[in-house]
Amino acid sequence: MRFQGREITAEIEDVNGEGKSWVNVYIDDLPVRVMRIDPDNRLYQLADDLEDAPHTLTLQKRTEAAFGSIKFTDLTTENGTFLSPPAPLPHRMLIIGDSITCGFGNEAQIPCDCDASRENIALAYSALTGQLLNAETLIVGASGTGCYQNFGGAKEGRMSDYFMETICPYLDQEAMDPFVPEMIVVNLGTNDWSAPIEPTDYIEQYRKLTGFIRDRYPSAQLFCAIGPMTLGPSPYLKALVESLNEDGDENIHFVEFPLIQRPEDGMGGCGHPSVKKHRQMAEHLAGTITQACSLSNPVSR
C-alpha cells in the first residue's frame, strides 16, 4: 500500500500464539526490517523517521503456515494520509509446491538450522521467479507435502488434494479479486519419492491435478517442475508431459532443476537449497517461462 507521512504502524495478531511467524517489511521496495510476531504484542512500528513524502509499504510473511498464522487487523500513520494503491504488476503466476517452494531452511547457517527464522520466502525460487517475471505471484506451498504421498508415505493432507479441495473453493468464496494466472508452476514429487512408491500412482494423481488445473485455467501455461533435491520422478513426469502434448495440449511444459552440487551451490537447512541455489532455480525457471510465454515486461534483478 501507499501512504504519505513519516511513520507507519501495523496491528498484527499471532493466531497460533507460538511466536514462530516472521514478517519482512519493505519501504519503497527496500528491506528495512525483519520482525517476529510476538504472541504478547499486537502493535508494530514498521518504519519511522521517514521523509514526509509518498512511500510504498510492503508486508511479506516470511514463513509458511506450518510455523503459524497471523491476522492483520489495522494500519495507522500518525499525521499522515493513505494514498491510492500501487498499480498491479503486468502478469500473474501461481506456484504450487512443497518445502522447496516455501524456502524452507534457505537462510540456514549450519546443516540442521531449520527453525522458522531461517525460512525466507523472499529468497525462495518461487518469489524470486515472480520478481524476475514482473508477476503478481500466488504461492501455495507446505513443507512435507507431495502429489500422491507426503514425506514418509502419508496420504492425508497431500498438496494435490489441498489445492483442489480447499484452496480453490476458498478462493472462489472469499477472494476479493479473482486470481487468474497466465502461468502455473507445479513442483511436487520430492516428498513422493521419500518413501516406497509405484510411479504409476504418482502419475495418476499428477494427471488428475493437471486435469483440474486445465479445467479451471484453460488458457494458462502450465510448467511441471522437479528438483533440485531429487530427480527420481523426472522420467515419469517428463513422459506425462509428452503424453499430454501428444493429446493436444501444447501449453504444458516439463522443467528439471539440476541437483544441488556441493560445495559450490552451498546448502540450506536439512538438505534444502541455499539462497544461492534458489537464485539459480529462479533464473532457470524465469528463462523457461519467458521463452514459452513470450512475456512482455520481464525485469532483471
Side-chain angles (χ1 to χ4, degrees), residues 168-228:
C168 289
Y170 176 83
L171 291 175
D172 292 339
Q173 296 172 16
E174 305 293 341
M176 296 173 62
D177 178 15
F179 192 90
V180 182
E182 298 169 61
M183 48 269 188
I184 300 170
V185 179
V186 178
N187 186 359
L188 293 173
T190 298
N191 290 308
D192 292 85
W193 256 250
S194 69
I197 187 173
E198 288 293 335
T200 53
D201 291 332
Y202 170 73
I203 291 302
E204 180 180 350
Q205 182 68 7
Y206 206 112
R207 186 185 290 272
K208 178 181 177 181
L209 176 61
T210 56
F212 176 89
I213 290 171
R214 182 53 74 224
D215 288 343
R216 184 177 177 87
Y217 305 110
S219 62
Q221 297 277 349
L222 175 58
F223 298 84
C224 302
I226 192 63

Side-chain angles (χ1 to χ4, degrees), residues 41 46 53 64 121 150 152 175 215 234 238 259 268 270 294:
N41 181 41
L46 307 179
E64 62 186 290
I121 192 64
N150 296 331
D215 288 343
S234 188
K238 183 177 182 181
L259 289 172
C270 303
S294 301

Side-chain angles (χ1 to χ4, degrees), residues 28-49:
D28 302 327
D29 295 326
L30 297 176
V32 296
R33 190 160 299 171
V34 175
M35 305 187 315
R36 184 180 71 89
I37 305 304
D38 189 338
D40 299 322
N41 181 41
R42 286 201 177 190
L43 289 179
Y44 298 86
Q45 188 165 58
L46 307 179
D48 58 4
D49 198 26

Side-chain angles (χ1 to χ4, degrees), residues 30-82:
L30 297 176
V32 296
R33 190 160 299 171
V34 175
M35 305 187 315
R36 184 180 71 89
I37 305 304
D38 189 338
D40 299 322
N41 181 41
R42 286 201 177 190
L43 289 179
Y44 298 86
Q45 188 165 58
L46 307 179
D48 58 4
D49 198 26
L50 299 171
E51 180 184 359
D52 189 4
H55 300 286
T56 299
L57 164 70
T58 302
L59 276 180
Q60 179 185 52
K61 188 170 182 289
R62 291 168 54 104
T63 47
E64 62 186 290
F67 287 123
S69 299
I70 61 175
K71 182 184 293 185
F72 171 81
T73 55
D74 198 12
L75 195 65
T76 58
T77 174
E78 186 174 354
N79 299 320
T81 56
F82 292 105

Side-chain angles (χ1 to χ4, degrees), residues 123-126 128-129 132 228 255-266 273-288:
L123 300 179
Y125 84 91
S126 45
L128 292 173
T129 300
L132 292 171
V255 181
E256 183 178 274
F257 295 117
L259 289 172
I260 299 169
Q261 299 296 317
R262 304 183 191 183
E264 54 266 34
D265 290 342
S274 65
V275 167
K276 178 181 179 180
K277 185 63 176 180
H278 273 284
R279 168 60 67 172
Q280 294 173 1
M281 294 169 64
E283 292 173 350
H284 179 131
L285 181 57
T288 301

Side-chain angles (χ1 to χ4, degrees), residues 236-255:
Y236 310 103
L237 187 55
K238 183 177 182 181
L240 173 62
V241 170
E242 291 173 349
S243 173
L244 294 171
N245 292 156
E246 292 171 359
D247 289 342
D249 193 340
E250 298 181 353
N251 293 331
I252 298 183
H253 314 272
F254 173 70
V255 181

